[in-house]
PDB file of all heavy atoms in Angstrom:
ATOM      1  N   ALA Y 247     -52.368 -69.689  19.031  1.00 94.00           N
ATOM      2  CA  ALA Y 247     -51.698 -68.329  19.247  1.00 94.00           C
ATOM      3  C   ALA Y 247     -50.714 -68.068  18.084  1.00 94.00           C
ATOM      4  O   ALA Y 247     -50.144 -68.992  17.471  1.00 94.00           O
ATOM      5  CB  ALA Y 247     -50.901 -68.442  20.511  1.00 94.00           C
ATOM      6  N   PRO Y 248     -50.496 -66.869  17.751  1.00 93.00           N
ATOM      7  CA  PRO Y 248     -49.599 -66.484  16.742  1.00 93.00           C
ATOM      8  C   PRO Y 248     -48.191 -66.980  17.161  1.00 93.00           C
ATOM      9  O   PRO Y 248     -47.811 -67.062  18.371  1.00 93.00           O
ATOM     10  CB  PRO Y 248     -49.509 -64.900  16.678  1.00 93.00           C
ATOM     11  CG  PRO Y 248     -50.843 -64.545  17.315  1.00 93.00           C
ATOM     12  CD  PRO Y 248     -51.147 -65.558  18.198  1.00 93.00           C
ATOM     13  N   LEU Y 249     -47.356 -67.179  16.084  1.00 95.00           N
ATOM     14  CA  LEU Y 249     -45.988 -67.817  16.442  1.00 95.00           C
ATOM     15  C   LEU Y 249     -45.174 -67.118  17.519  1.00 95.00           C
ATOM     16  O   LEU Y 249     -44.627 -67.792  18.416  1.00 95.00           O
ATOM     17  CB  LEU Y 249     -45.211 -67.878  15.018  1.00 95.00           C
ATOM     18  CG  LEU Y 249     -43.912 -68.698  15.048  1.00 95.00           C
ATOM     19  CD1 LEU Y 249     -43.661 -69.010  13.613  1.00 95.00           C
ATOM     20  CD2 LEU Y 249     -42.721 -67.922  15.617  1.00 95.00           C
ATOM     21  N   PRO Y 250     -44.986 -65.838  17.505  1.00 94.00           N
ATOM     22  CA  PRO Y 250     -44.228 -65.053  18.618  1.00 94.00           C
ATOM     23  C   PRO Y 250     -44.895 -65.344  20.006  1.00 94.00           C
ATOM     24  O   PRO Y 250     -44.072 -65.244  20.911  1.00 94.00           O
ATOM     25  CB  PRO Y 250     -44.263 -63.600  18.129  1.00 94.00           C
ATOM     26  CG  PRO Y 250     -44.589 -63.577  16.712  1.00 94.00           C
ATOM     27  CD  PRO Y 250     -45.559 -64.758  16.520  1.00 94.00           C
ATOM     28  N   ASP Y 251     -46.098 -65.672  20.100  1.00 96.00           N
ATOM     29  CA  ASP Y 251     -46.789 -65.757  21.363  1.00 96.00           C
ATOM     30  C   ASP Y 251     -46.837 -67.236  21.914  1.00 96.00           C
ATOM     31  O   ASP Y 251     -47.365 -67.413  22.929  1.00 96.00           O
ATOM     32  CB  ASP Y 251     -48.159 -65.118  21.372  1.00 96.00           C
ATOM     33  CG  ASP Y 251     -47.984 -63.651  21.021  1.00 96.00           C
ATOM     34  OD1 ASP Y 251     -46.977 -63.094  21.225  1.00 96.00           O
ATOM     35  OD2 ASP Y 251     -49.060 -63.116  20.550  1.00 96.00           O
ATOM     36  N   ILE Y 252     -46.501 -68.109  21.118  1.00 97.00           N
ATOM     37  CA  ILE Y 252     -46.613 -69.632  21.613  1.00 97.00           C
ATOM     38  C   ILE Y 252     -45.459 -69.890  22.765  1.00 97.00           C
ATOM     39  O   ILE Y 252     -44.186 -69.696  22.551  1.00 97.00           O
ATOM     40  CB  ILE Y 252     -46.382 -70.548  20.393  1.00 97.00           C
ATOM     41  CG1 ILE Y 252     -47.405 -70.274  19.275  1.00 97.00           C
ATOM     42  CG2 ILE Y 252     -46.334 -72.071  20.856  1.00 97.00           C
ATOM     43  CD1 ILE Y 252     -47.105 -71.115  17.893  1.00 97.00           C
ATOM     44  N   SER Y 253     -46.037 -70.452  23.796  1.00 98.00           N
ATOM     45  CA  SER Y 253     -45.012 -70.660  24.853  1.00 98.00           C
ATOM     46  C   SER Y 253     -44.466 -72.045  24.633  1.00 98.00           C
ATOM     47  O   SER Y 253     -44.909 -72.879  23.837  1.00 98.00           O
ATOM     48  CB  SER Y 253     -45.850 -70.681  26.139  1.00 98.00           C
ATOM     49  OG  SER Y 253     -46.675 -71.872  26.341  1.00 98.00           O
ATOM     50  N   LEU Y 254     -43.307 -72.271  25.227  1.00 98.00           N
ATOM     51  CA  LEU Y 254     -42.587 -73.535  25.070  1.00 98.00           C
ATOM     52  C   LEU Y 254     -43.406 -74.620  25.618  1.00 98.00           C
ATOM     53  O   LEU Y 254     -43.453 -75.758  25.195  1.00 98.00           O
ATOM     54  CB  LEU Y 254     -41.180 -73.467  25.735  1.00 98.00           C
ATOM     55  CG  LEU Y 254     -40.321 -74.665  25.663  1.00 98.00           C
ATOM     56  CD1 LEU Y 254     -39.927 -74.922  24.137  1.00 98.00           C
ATOM     57  CD2 LEU Y 254     -39.066 -74.567  26.233  1.00 98.00           C
ATOM     58  N   ASP Y 255     -44.176 -74.369  26.801  1.00 98.00           N
ATOM     59  CA  ASP Y 255     -44.984 -75.412  27.427  1.00 98.00           C
ATOM     60  C   ASP Y 255     -46.054 -75.707  26.353  1.00 98.00           C
ATOM     61  O   ASP Y 255     -46.531 -76.964  26.255  1.00 98.00           O
ATOM     62  CB  ASP Y 255     -45.530 -74.823  28.652  1.00 98.00           C
ATOM     63  CG  ASP Y 255     -44.556 -74.928  29.829  1.00 98.00           C
ATOM     64  OD1 ASP Y 255     -43.547 -75.598  29.722  1.00 98.00           O
ATOM     65  OD2 ASP Y 255     -44.877 -74.266  30.882  1.00 98.00           O
ATOM     66  N   GLU Y 256     -46.672 -74.846  25.666  1.00 98.00           N
ATOM     67  CA  GLU Y 256     -47.797 -75.184  24.632  1.00 98.00           C
ATOM     68  C   GLU Y 256     -47.169 -75.984  23.545  1.00 98.00           C
ATOM     69  O   GLU Y 256     -47.829 -76.925  23.107  1.00 98.00           O
ATOM     70  CB  GLU Y 256     -48.294 -73.810  24.195  1.00 98.00           C
ATOM     71  CG  GLU Y 256     -49.160 -73.042  25.232  1.00 98.00           C
ATOM     72  CD  GLU Y 256     -49.607 -71.685  24.721  1.00 98.00           C
ATOM     73  OE1 GLU Y 256     -48.764 -71.096  24.053  1.00 98.00           O
ATOM     74  OE2 GLU Y 256     -50.724 -71.362  25.046  1.00 98.00           O
ATOM     75  N   PHE Y 257     -45.972 -75.545  23.224  1.00 98.00           N
ATOM     76  CA  PHE Y 257     -45.399 -76.374  22.053  1.00 98.00           C
ATOM     77  C   PHE Y 257     -45.028 -77.780  22.385  1.00 98.00           C
ATOM     78  O   PHE Y 257     -45.344 -78.774  21.769  1.00 98.00           O
ATOM     79  CB  PHE Y 257     -44.025 -75.580  21.619  1.00 98.00           C
ATOM     80  CG  PHE Y 257     -43.215 -76.348  20.581  1.00 98.00           C
ATOM     81  CD1 PHE Y 257     -43.612 -76.185  19.237  1.00 98.00           C
ATOM     82  CD2 PHE Y 257     -42.287 -77.205  20.738  1.00 98.00           C
ATOM     83  CE1 PHE Y 257     -42.893 -76.807  18.229  1.00 98.00           C
ATOM     84  CE2 PHE Y 257     -41.628 -77.908  19.820  1.00 98.00           C
ATOM     85  CZ  PHE Y 257     -41.794 -77.675  18.547  1.00 98.00           C
ATOM     86  N   ASP Y 258     -44.588 -77.839  23.573  1.00 98.00           N
ATOM     87  CA  ASP Y 258     -44.026 -79.194  24.082  1.00 98.00           C
ATOM     88  C   ASP Y 258     -45.373 -80.119  24.361  1.00 98.00           C
ATOM     89  O   ASP Y 258     -45.212 -81.376  24.133  1.00 98.00           O
ATOM     90  CB  ASP Y 258     -43.129 -79.151  25.483  1.00 98.00           C
ATOM     91  CG  ASP Y 258     -41.794 -78.585  25.203  1.00 98.00           C
ATOM     92  OD1 ASP Y 258     -41.394 -78.717  24.108  1.00 98.00           O
ATOM     93  OD2 ASP Y 258     -41.243 -78.221  26.277  1.00 98.00           O
ATOM     94  N   GLN Y 259     -46.327 -79.601  24.843  1.00 98.00           N
ATOM     95  CA  GLN Y 259     -47.519 -80.452  25.049  1.00 98.00           C
ATOM     96  C   GLN Y 259     -48.063 -80.975  23.834  1.00 98.00           C
ATOM     97  O   GLN Y 259     -48.454 -82.180  23.776  1.00 98.00           O
ATOM     98  CB  GLN Y 259     -48.675 -79.487  25.631  1.00 98.00           C
ATOM     99  CG  GLN Y 259     -49.980 -80.225  25.891  1.00 98.00           C
ATOM    100  CD  GLN Y 259     -51.061 -79.304  26.380  1.00 98.00           C
ATOM    101  OE1 GLN Y 259     -51.141 -78.124  25.994  1.00 98.00           O
ATOM    102  NE2 GLN Y 259     -52.006 -79.727  27.273  1.00 98.00           N
ATOM    103  N   VAL Y 260     -48.023 -80.252  22.561  1.00 98.00           N
ATOM    104  CA  VAL Y 260     -48.569 -80.847  21.453  1.00 98.00           C
ATOM    105  C   VAL Y 260     -47.588 -81.896  20.933  1.00 98.00           C
ATOM    106  O   VAL Y 260     -47.934 -83.027  20.430  1.00 98.00           O
ATOM    107  CB  VAL Y 260     -48.745 -79.796  20.378  1.00 98.00           C
ATOM    108  CG1 VAL Y 260     -49.084 -80.353  19.167  1.00 98.00           C
ATOM    109  CG2 VAL Y 260     -49.871 -78.875  20.841  1.00 98.00           C
ATOM    110  N   MET Y 261     -46.265 -81.514  20.980  1.00 98.00           N
ATOM    111  CA  MET Y 261     -45.299 -82.509  20.482  1.00 98.00           C
ATOM    112  C   MET Y 261     -45.146 -83.830  21.355  1.00 98.00           C
ATOM    113  O   MET Y 261     -44.994 -84.878  20.750  1.00 98.00           O
ATOM    114  CB  MET Y 261     -43.946 -81.821  20.462  1.00 98.00           C
ATOM    115  CG  MET Y 261     -43.759 -80.629  19.517  1.00 98.00           C
ATOM    116  SD  MET Y 261     -44.160 -81.012  17.749  1.00 98.00           S
ATOM    117  CE  MET Y 261     -42.655 -81.782  17.379  1.00 98.00           C
ATOM    118  N   ASN Y 262     -45.479 -83.718  22.575  1.00 98.00           N
ATOM    119  CA  ASN Y 262     -45.373 -84.769  23.412  1.00 98.00           C
ATOM    120  C   ASN Y 262     -46.553 -85.758  23.160  1.00 98.00           C
ATOM    121  O   ASN Y 262     -46.347 -87.061  23.013  1.00 98.00           O
ATOM    122  CB  ASN Y 262     -45.583 -84.543  24.933  1.00 98.00           C
ATOM    123  CG  ASN Y 262     -44.266 -83.968  25.474  1.00 98.00           C
ATOM    124  OD1 ASN Y 262     -43.209 -84.081  24.937  1.00 98.00           O
ATOM    125  ND2 ASN Y 262     -44.322 -83.172  26.688  1.00 98.00           N
ATOM    126  N   VAL Y 263     -47.738 -85.307  22.712  1.00 98.00           N
ATOM    127  CA  VAL Y 263     -48.864 -86.211  22.411  1.00 98.00           C
ATOM    128  C   VAL Y 263     -48.804 -86.613  21.078  1.00 98.00           C
ATOM    129  O   VAL Y 263     -48.801 -87.854  20.701  1.00 98.00           O
ATOM    130  CB  VAL Y 263     -50.245 -85.531  22.659  1.00 98.00           C
ATOM    131  CG1 VAL Y 263     -51.290 -86.461  22.276  1.00 98.00           C
ATOM    132  CG2 VAL Y 263     -50.251 -85.216  24.178  1.00 98.00           C
ATOM    133  N   ASN Y 264     -48.589 -85.781  20.124  1.00 98.00           N
ATOM    134  CA  ASN Y 264     -48.819 -85.994  18.785  1.00 98.00           C
ATOM    135  C   ASN Y 264     -47.501 -86.734  18.094  1.00 98.00           C
ATOM    136  O   ASN Y 264     -47.586 -87.542  17.220  1.00 98.00           O
ATOM    137  CB  ASN Y 264     -49.086 -84.762  17.877  1.00 98.00           C
ATOM    138  CG  ASN Y 264     -50.328 -84.141  18.244  1.00 98.00           C
ATOM    139  OD1 ASN Y 264     -51.078 -84.495  19.269  1.00 98.00           O
ATOM    140  ND2 ASN Y 264     -50.662 -82.991  17.595  1.00 98.00           N
ATOM    141  N   LEU Y 265     -46.349 -86.346  18.421  1.00 98.00           N
ATOM    142  CA  LEU Y 265     -45.103 -86.876  17.910  1.00 98.00           C
ATOM    143  C   LEU Y 265     -44.501 -87.933  18.827  1.00 98.00           C
ATOM    144  O   LEU Y 265     -44.348 -89.058  18.370  1.00 98.00           O
ATOM    145  CB  LEU Y 265     -44.133 -85.798  17.614  1.00 98.00           C
ATOM    146  CG  LEU Y 265     -42.840 -86.204  16.921  1.00 98.00           C
ATOM    147  CD1 LEU Y 265     -43.063 -87.044  15.696  1.00 98.00           C
ATOM    148  CD2 LEU Y 265     -41.878 -85.136  16.604  1.00 98.00           C
ATOM    149  N   ARG Y 266     -44.311 -87.498  20.100  1.00 98.00           N
ATOM    150  CA  ARG Y 266     -43.665 -88.526  21.042  1.00 98.00           C
ATOM    151  C   ARG Y 266     -44.626 -89.646  21.027  1.00 98.00           C
ATOM    152  O   ARG Y 266     -44.101 -90.898  21.117  1.00 98.00           O
ATOM    153  CB  ARG Y 266     -43.348 -87.949  22.316  1.00 98.00           C
ATOM    154  CG  ARG Y 266     -42.856 -88.755  23.436  1.00 98.00           C
ATOM    155  CD  ARG Y 266     -42.952 -87.958  24.805  1.00 98.00           C
ATOM    156  NE  ARG Y 266     -42.757 -88.842  25.900  1.00 98.00           N
ATOM    157  CZ  ARG Y 266     -41.505 -89.067  26.560  1.00 98.00           C
ATOM    158  NH1 ARG Y 266     -40.424 -88.531  25.967  1.00 98.00           N
ATOM    159  NH2 ARG Y 266     -41.393 -89.838  27.576  1.00 98.00           N
ATOM    160  N   GLY Y 267     -45.969 -89.363  21.257  1.00 98.00           N
ATOM    161  CA  GLY Y 267     -46.834 -90.451  21.388  1.00 98.00           C
ATOM    162  C   GLY Y 267     -46.919 -91.437  20.176  1.00 98.00           C
ATOM    163  O   GLY Y 267     -46.990 -92.673  20.358  1.00 98.00           O
ATOM    164  N   SER Y 268     -46.879 -90.869  19.013  1.00 98.00           N
ATOM    165  CA  SER Y 268     -46.849 -91.638  17.757  1.00 98.00           C
ATOM    166  C   SER Y 268     -45.548 -92.493  17.710  1.00 98.00           C
ATOM    167  O   SER Y 268     -45.664 -93.738  17.334  1.00 98.00           O
ATOM    168  CB  SER Y 268     -46.959 -90.738  16.578  1.00 98.00           C
ATOM    169  OG  SER Y 268     -48.241 -90.109  16.575  1.00 98.00           O
ATOM    170  N   PHE Y 269     -44.437 -91.873  17.979  1.00 98.00           N
ATOM    171  CA  PHE Y 269     -43.272 -92.671  18.020  1.00 98.00           C
ATOM    172  C   PHE Y 269     -43.249 -93.902  18.983  1.00 98.00           C
ATOM    173  O   PHE Y 269     -42.942 -94.959  18.659  1.00 98.00           O
ATOM    174  CB  PHE Y 269     -42.045 -91.798  18.419  1.00 98.00           C
ATOM    175  CG  PHE Y 269     -40.796 -92.599  18.779  1.00 98.00           C
ATOM    176  CD1 PHE Y 269     -40.004 -93.260  17.838  1.00 98.00           C
ATOM    177  CD2 PHE Y 269     -40.393 -92.679  20.120  1.00 98.00           C
ATOM    178  CE1 PHE Y 269     -39.016 -94.050  18.213  1.00 98.00           C
ATOM    179  CE2 PHE Y 269     -39.233 -93.471  20.440  1.00 98.00           C
ATOM    180  CZ  PHE Y 269     -38.490 -94.085  19.367  1.00 98.00           C
ATOM    181  N   LEU Y 270     -43.668 -93.551  20.255  1.00 98.00           N
ATOM    182  CA  LEU Y 270     -43.815 -94.584  21.275  1.00 98.00           C
ATOM    183  C   LEU Y 270     -44.766 -95.746  20.780  1.00 98.00           C
ATOM    184  O   LEU Y 270     -44.543 -96.825  20.976  1.00 98.00           O
ATOM    185  CB  LEU Y 270     -44.322 -93.925  22.695  1.00 98.00           C
ATOM    186  CG  LEU Y 270     -43.252 -93.117  23.329  1.00 98.00           C
ATOM    187  CD1 LEU Y 270     -43.944 -92.533  24.516  1.00 98.00           C
ATOM    188  CD2 LEU Y 270     -42.007 -93.983  23.641  1.00 98.00           C
ATOM    189  N   GLY Y 271     -45.909 -95.251  20.194  1.00 98.00           N
ATOM    190  CA  GLY Y 271     -46.964 -96.334  19.724  1.00 98.00           C
ATOM    191  C   GLY Y 271     -46.413 -97.191  18.714  1.00 98.00           C
ATOM    192  O   GLY Y 271     -46.576 -98.381  18.653  1.00 98.00           O
ATOM    193  N   VAL Y 272     -45.643 -96.617  17.701  1.00 98.00           N
ATOM    194  CA  VAL Y 272     -45.082 -97.297  16.623  1.00 98.00           C
ATOM    195  C   VAL Y 272     -43.941 -98.214  17.143  1.00 98.00           C
ATOM    196  O   VAL Y 272     -43.847 -99.458  16.800  1.00 98.00           O
ATOM    197  CB  VAL Y 272     -44.487 -96.408  15.479  1.00 98.00           C
ATOM    198  CG1 VAL Y 272     -43.642 -97.108  14.387  1.00 98.00           C
ATOM    199  CG2 VAL Y 272     -45.711 -95.600  14.758  1.00 98.00           C
ATOM    200  N   ARG Y 273     -43.094 -97.845  17.975  1.00 98.00           N
ATOM    201  CA  ARG Y 273     -41.991 -98.558  18.415  1.00 98.00           C
ATOM    202  C   ARG Y 273     -42.552 -99.732  19.225  1.00 98.00           C
ATOM    203  O   ARG Y 273     -42.045-100.886  19.095  1.00 98.00           O
ATOM    204  CB  ARG Y 273     -41.174 -97.742  19.430  1.00 98.00           C
ATOM    205  CG  ARG Y 273     -39.778 -98.439  19.876  1.00 98.00           C
ATOM    206  CD  ARG Y 273     -39.048 -97.477  20.697  1.00 98.00           C
ATOM    207  NE  ARG Y 273     -39.731 -97.392  22.017  1.00 98.00           N
ATOM    208  CZ  ARG Y 273     -39.161 -96.797  23.122  1.00 98.00           C
ATOM    209  NH1 ARG Y 273     -37.925 -96.352  23.073  1.00 98.00           N
ATOM    210  NH2 ARG Y 273     -39.738 -96.735  24.262  1.00 98.00           N
ATOM    211  N   ALA Y 274     -43.510 -99.522  20.196  1.00 98.00           N
ATOM    212  CA  ALA Y 274     -44.085-100.484  20.874  1.00 98.00           C
ATOM    213  C   ALA Y 274     -44.816-101.589  20.009  1.00 98.00           C
ATOM    214  O   ALA Y 274     -44.636-102.825  20.385  1.00 98.00           O
ATOM    215  CB  ALA Y 274     -45.261 -99.943  21.806  1.00 98.00           C
ATOM    216  N   ALA Y 275     -45.355-101.207  18.937  1.00 98.00           N
ATOM    217  CA  ALA Y 275     -45.981-102.208  17.933  1.00 98.00           C
ATOM    218  C   ALA Y 275     -44.820-103.046  17.406  1.00 98.00           C
ATOM    219  O   ALA Y 275     -45.042-104.261  17.256  1.00 98.00           O
ATOM    220  CB  ALA Y 275     -46.842-101.550  17.022  1.00 98.00           C
ATOM    221  N   PHE Y 276     -43.808-102.411  16.954  1.00 98.00           N
ATOM    222  CA  PHE Y 276     -42.614-103.207  16.373  1.00 98.00           C
ATOM    223  C   PHE Y 276     -42.092-104.166  17.364  1.00 98.00           C
ATOM    224  O   PHE Y 276     -41.709-105.289  17.072  1.00 98.00           O
ATOM    225  CB  PHE Y 276     -41.597-102.128  15.949  1.00 98.00           C
ATOM    226  CG  PHE Y 276     -41.694-101.678  14.518  1.00 98.00           C
ATOM    227  CD1 PHE Y 276     -42.725-100.871  14.070  1.00 98.00           C
ATOM    228  CD2 PHE Y 276     -40.840-102.225  13.606  1.00 98.00           C
ATOM    229  CE1 PHE Y 276     -42.861-100.452  12.676  1.00 98.00           C
ATOM    230  CE2 PHE Y 276     -40.925-101.746  12.295  1.00 98.00           C
ATOM    231  CZ  PHE Y 276     -42.026-100.901  11.846  1.00 98.00           C
ATOM    232  N   ARG Y 277     -41.923-103.811  18.557  1.00 98.00           N
ATOM    233  CA  ARG Y 277     -41.451-104.593  19.634  1.00 98.00           C
ATOM    234  C   ARG Y 277     -42.336-105.858  20.002  1.00 98.00           C
ATOM    235  O   ARG Y 277     -41.946-106.912  20.092  1.00 98.00           O
ATOM    236  CB  ARG Y 277     -41.162-103.809  20.972  1.00 98.00           C
ATOM    237  CG  ARG Y 277     -39.995-102.911  20.905  1.00 98.00           C
ATOM    238  CD  ARG Y 277     -39.931-102.024  22.254  1.00 98.00           C
ATOM    239  NE  ARG Y 277     -38.689-101.297  22.259  1.00 98.00           N
ATOM    240  CZ  ARG Y 277     -38.319-100.489  23.264  1.00 98.00           C
ATOM    241  NH1 ARG Y 277     -39.130-100.254  24.259  1.00 98.00           N
ATOM    242  NH2 ARG Y 277     -37.257 -99.746  23.064  1.00 98.00           N
ATOM    243  N   GLN Y 278     -43.659-105.551  19.877  1.00 98.00           N
ATOM    244  CA  GLN Y 278     -44.701-106.615  20.104  1.00 98.00           C
ATOM    245  C   GLN Y 278     -44.621-107.533  18.962  1.00 98.00           C
ATOM    246  O   GLN Y 278     -44.572-108.707  19.114  1.00 98.00           O
ATOM    247  CB  GLN Y 278     -46.079-106.115  20.254  1.00 98.00           C
ATOM    248  CG  GLN Y 278     -47.070-107.169  20.541  1.00 98.00           C
ATOM    249  CD  GLN Y 278     -46.775-107.917  21.795  1.00 98.00           C
ATOM    250  OE1 GLN Y 278     -46.447-107.499  22.738  1.00 98.00           O
ATOM    251  NE2 GLN Y 278     -47.336-109.186  21.648  1.00 98.00           N
ATOM    252  N   PHE Y 279     -44.538-107.080  17.734  1.00 98.00           N
ATOM    253  CA  PHE Y 279     -44.447-107.897  16.470  1.00 98.00           C
ATOM    254  C   PHE Y 279     -43.281-108.711  16.611  1.00 98.00           C
ATOM    255  O   PHE Y 279     -43.279-109.999  16.160  1.00 98.00           O
ATOM    256  CB  PHE Y 279     -44.476-107.128  15.107  1.00 98.00           C
ATOM    257  CG  PHE Y 279     -45.759-106.267  15.065  1.00 98.00           C
ATOM    258  CD1 PHE Y 279     -45.831-105.086  14.323  1.00 98.00           C
ATOM    259  CD2 PHE Y 279     -47.047-106.818  15.506  1.00 98.00           C
ATOM    260  CE1 PHE Y 279     -46.857-104.289  14.086  1.00 98.00           C
ATOM    261  CE2 PHE Y 279     -48.195-106.146  15.248  1.00 98.00           C
ATOM    262  CZ  PHE Y 279     -48.129-104.918  14.565  1.00 98.00           C
ATOM    263  N   ARG Y 280     -41.994-108.254  17.014  1.00 98.00           N
ATOM    264  CA  ARG Y 280     -40.861-108.972  17.132  1.00 98.00           C
ATOM    265  C   ARG Y 280     -41.045-110.073  18.152  1.00 98.00           C
ATOM    266  O   ARG Y 280     -40.576-111.243  17.922  1.00 98.00           O
ATOM    267  CB  ARG Y 280     -39.691-108.045  17.454  1.00 98.00           C
ATOM    268  CG  ARG Y 280     -38.390-108.639  17.668  1.00 98.00           C
ATOM    269  CD  ARG Y 280     -37.266-107.840  17.859  1.00 98.00           C
ATOM    270  NE  ARG Y 280     -37.438-107.023  19.185  1.00 98.00           N
ATOM    271  CZ  ARG Y 280     -36.683-106.046  19.517  1.00 98.00           C
ATOM    272  NH1 ARG Y 280     -35.714-105.538  18.646  1.00 98.00           N
ATOM    273  NH2 ARG Y 280     -36.929-105.338  20.644  1.00 98.00           N
ATOM    274  N   GLU Y 281     -41.491-109.826  19.287  1.00 97.00           N
ATOM    275  CA  GLU Y 281     -41.795-110.712  20.344  1.00 97.00           C
ATOM    276  C   GLU Y 281     -42.667-111.873  19.886  1.00 97.00           C
ATOM    277  O   GLU Y 281     -42.449-113.007  20.100  1.00 97.00           O
ATOM    278  CB  GLU Y 281     -42.490-110.085  21.606  1.00 97.00           C
ATOM    279  CG  GLU Y 281     -42.532-111.108  22.740  1.00 97.00           C
ATOM    280  CD  GLU Y 281     -43.156-110.406  23.964  1.00 97.00           C
ATOM    281  OE1 GLU Y 281     -42.777-109.068  23.997  1.00 97.00           O
ATOM    282  OE2 GLU Y 281     -43.779-111.005  24.785  1.00 97.00           O
ATOM    283  N   GLN Y 282     -43.700-111.529  18.988  1.00 97.00           N
ATOM    284  CA  GLN Y 282     -44.572-112.532  18.474  1.00 97.00           C
ATOM    285  C   GLN Y 282     -43.941-113.375  17.400  1.00 97.00           C
ATOM    286  O   GLN Y 282     -44.497-114.531  16.991  1.00 97.00           O
ATOM    287  CB  GLN Y 282     -45.846-111.898  17.953  1.00 97.00           C
ATOM    288  CG  GLN Y 282     -46.707-111.252  18.957  1.00 97.00           C
ATOM    289  CD  GLN Y 282     -47.802-110.366  18.308  1.00 97.00           C
ATOM    290  OE1 GLN Y 282     -48.601-109.754  19.009  1.00 97.00           O
ATOM    291  NE2 GLN Y 282     -47.956-110.427  17.048  1.00 97.00           N
ATOM    292  N   GLY Y 283     -42.950-112.720  16.629  1.00 97.00           N
ATOM    293  CA  GLY Y 283     -42.341-113.443  15.446  1.00 97.00           C
ATOM    294  C   GLY Y 283     -43.275-113.150  14.412  1.00 97.00           C
ATOM    295  O   GLY Y 283     -43.364-114.078  13.425  1.00 97.00           O
ATOM    296  N   SER Y 284     -43.953-112.165  14.140  1.00 97.00           N
ATOM    297  CA  SER Y 284     -44.898-111.873  13.172  1.00 97.00           C
ATOM    298  C   SER Y 284     -44.797-110.668  12.577  1.00 97.00           C
ATOM    299  O   SER Y 284     -44.030-109.700  13.003  1.00 97.00           O
ATOM    300  CB  SER Y 284     -46.423-111.976  13.821  1.00 97.00           C
ATOM    301  OG  SER Y 284     -46.570-110.840  14.553  1.00 97.00           O
ATOM    302  N   GLY Y 285     -45.479-110.417  11.365  1.00 97.00           N
ATOM    303  CA  GLY Y 285     -45.669-109.074  10.735  1.00 97.00           C
ATOM    304  C   GLY Y 285     -46.869-108.499  11.347  1.00 97.00           C
ATOM    305  O   GLY Y 285     -47.375-108.796  12.422  1.00 97.00           O
ATOM    306  N   GLY Y 286     -47.270-107.414  10.794  1.00 98.00           N
ATOM    307  CA  GLY Y 286     -48.401-106.590  11.287  1.00 98.00           C
ATOM    308  C   GLY Y 286     -48.636-105.356  10.471  1.00 98.00           C
ATOM    309  O   GLY Y 286     -47.926-105.105   9.471  1.00 98.00           O
ATOM    310  N   ALA Y 287     -49.551-104.651  10.762  1.00 98.00           N
ATOM    311  CA  ALA Y 287     -49.977-103.418  10.095  1.00 98.00           C
ATOM    312  C   ALA Y 287     -50.261-102.189  11.088  1.00 98.00           C
ATOM    313  O   ALA Y 287     -50.774-102.471  12.136  1.00 98.00           O
ATOM    314  CB  ALA Y 287     -51.182-103.714   9.266  1.00 98.00           C
ATOM    315  N   ILE Y 288     -49.822-101.131  10.677  1.00 99.00           N
ATOM    316  CA  ILE Y 288     -49.854-100.000  11.483  1.00 99.00           C
ATOM    317  C   ILE Y 288     -50.412 -98.805  10.686  1.00 99.00           C
ATOM    318  O   ILE Y 288     -49.881 -98.697   9.408  1.00 99.00           O
ATOM    319  CB  ILE Y 288     -48.407 -99.485  12.247  1.00 99.00           C
ATOM    320  CG1 ILE Y 288     -47.942-100.605  13.021  1.00 99.00           C
ATOM    321  CG2 ILE Y 288     -48.661 -98.103  12.891  1.00 99.00           C
ATOM    322  CD1 ILE Y 288     -46.497-100.327  13.292  1.00 99.00           C
TER     323      ILE Y 288
END
């Protein structure tokens, strides 16, 4: 949709998956690597 017609729900849906999901995935990997006492690659 054009910018003026984008609903907040549509915006939040994309941000929740693409950005929040990426942050949660990266954070979870860091936590797991810390628990293992290891490095890793993302």
Side-chain angles (χ1 to χ4, degrees):
L249 193 157
D251 298 338
I252 297 170
S253 72
L254 186 57
D255 285 345
E256 289 172 323
F257 179 84
D258 286 344
Q259 181 186 31
V260 175
M261 298 300 285
N262 283 341
V263 176
N264 295 4
L265 181 56
R266 176 186 169 99
S268 294
F269 164 73
L270 290 173
V272 170
R273 188 184 69 173
F276 268 75
R277 288 177 172 179
Q278 180 63 32
F279 296 150
R280 181 174 63 187
E281 183 176 330
Q282 296 171 183
S284 72
I288 300 170

